[in-house]
Amino acid sequence: MMAGVLDPQLQRALAERIRYYNELGIYDFYRRDSAEANPRAIEDAVVHGNPVVQPEQREEMTARSKADIAVPVVQEEDLFEMANPKPESGAIDPVQALRLIREDLGDCTRCRLHKQGRKQIVFGVGNPKAELMFIGEAPGADEDQQGEPFVGRAGQLLNNMIKAMGLRREDIYIANIIKCRPPGNRTPERDECDTCSPFLMRQIAAIKPKAIMALGAVAAKTLLAINAPMSEFRGRWFDFRGTKLAVTYHPAFLLRDPRQKKEAWKDLQMVMKELGMAIPAKSAE
């Protein structure tokens, strides 16, 4: 694995080069087929800025063949991961991976929320091998007290939604964009989401669900980086890092406006169909 051969100097150089390209407005990078098998060539490319070219390619480096050699797109975070492997990168299963992510999170003080009254971190709960993952916005008072997402009134409604799908709470995995309760249950601010959501991304990568359901506009906007109303999110599938993602109303919103429960059920049915699940006869329309 590439990460195992990078020394600290090369890691720093790689991170610095990524930042340099970002400042130029470049966020997508290309990895050459044989680069992973040639660490020396990678070091030459990162530290000195020289292209990675294998001997058999040198005679073919015409303007046309150069485009052919630079193949699958590697995102900036993938390159940074190569230089800074996460603790869970060598985990043998999602159970171990999630445990390592939680240990890495620690008693988090990375954003202001740890100073604003949160009692504890609300990491996530459920089946580490779940096919379906629900992602909400942030913990509320009950969640902050119990250390588990969706355990208050909104959580009871979510449990009913899960049951209507023919599933149990322990069949799925539930998490939030941020893991600490904002004071007064206010909407999480952008920098708080940016600071905390990378841990959620690592949870998703560890679980590898077949489908994700974002609960509410904050979760949808953060995950998809799209600023749109719920009417544009609902009723369609989005690609999220190779996983299908759907959006529905947050249970807390449904408590305020029960008329939208029928619409939320349509969203759940869409997910059930994608996962090959039978729609309960008593609920089918």
Side-chain angles (χ1 to χ4, degrees), residues 34-96:
S34 55
E36 190 165 334
N38 191 341
R40 293 291 184 183
I42 294 173
E43 182 171 0
D44 193 42
V46 173
V47 178
H48 304 293
N50 299 324
V52 179
V53 183
Q54 300 303 311
E56 64 272 15
Q57 295 172 338
R58 290 192 179 112
E59 295 180 359
E60 302 175 3
M61 288 291 285
T62 63
R64 183 174 62 84
S65 64
K66 287 179 182 178
D68 295 334
I69 293 172
V71 289
V73 175
V74 179
Q75 298 297 325
E76 177 259 343
E77 61 265 22
D78 296 327
L79 282 177
F80 193 79
E81 169 66 15
M82 293 174 186
N84 299 272
K86 299 292 188 298
E88 70 273 15
S89 60
I92 59 175
D93 59 42
V95 176
Q96 181 187 26

Side-chain angles (χ1 to χ4, degrees), residues 11-29:
Q11 290 182 13
R12 289 191 296 270
L14 177 56
E16 184 61 35
R17 182 160 290 274
I18 290 172
R19 284 192 293 269
Y20 167 73
Y21 285 127
N22 288 169
E23 290 174 359
L24 296 179
I26 300 171
Y27 296 92
D28 291 338
F29 301 88

Side-chain angles (χ1 to χ4, degrees), residues 157 251-264:
L157 179 53
F253 172 79
L254 296 176
L255 289 174
R256 296 192 299 270
D257 189 356
R259 296 170 299 174
Q260 302 303 322
K261 288 183 178 181
K262 289 185 179 180
E263 294 301 311

Side-chain angles (χ1 to χ4, degrees), residues 228-249:
M230 284 293 289
S231 60
E232 294 183 19
F233 283 126
R234 292 185 54 251
R236 56 183 292 197
W237 285 105
F238 295 87
D239 177 74
F240 178 77
R241 302 187 177 192
T243 300
K244 286 196 169 185
L245 185 148
V247 181
T248 194
Y249 296 112

Side-chain angles (χ1 to χ4, degrees), residues 102 105-108 113-114 117-123 139-149 151 178-182:
R102 180 63 185 89
L105 179 62
D107 186 22
C108 187
L113 291 178
H114 77 283
R118 73 111 196 260
K119 289 184 173 62
Q120 60 184 311
I121 291 169
V122 182
F123 183 67
D142 293 308
E143 290 76 17
D144 186 42
Q145 185 69 37
Q146 299 184 40
E148 183 174 323
V151 293
I178 65 172
K179 304 189 183 304
C180 294
R181 180 196 181 196

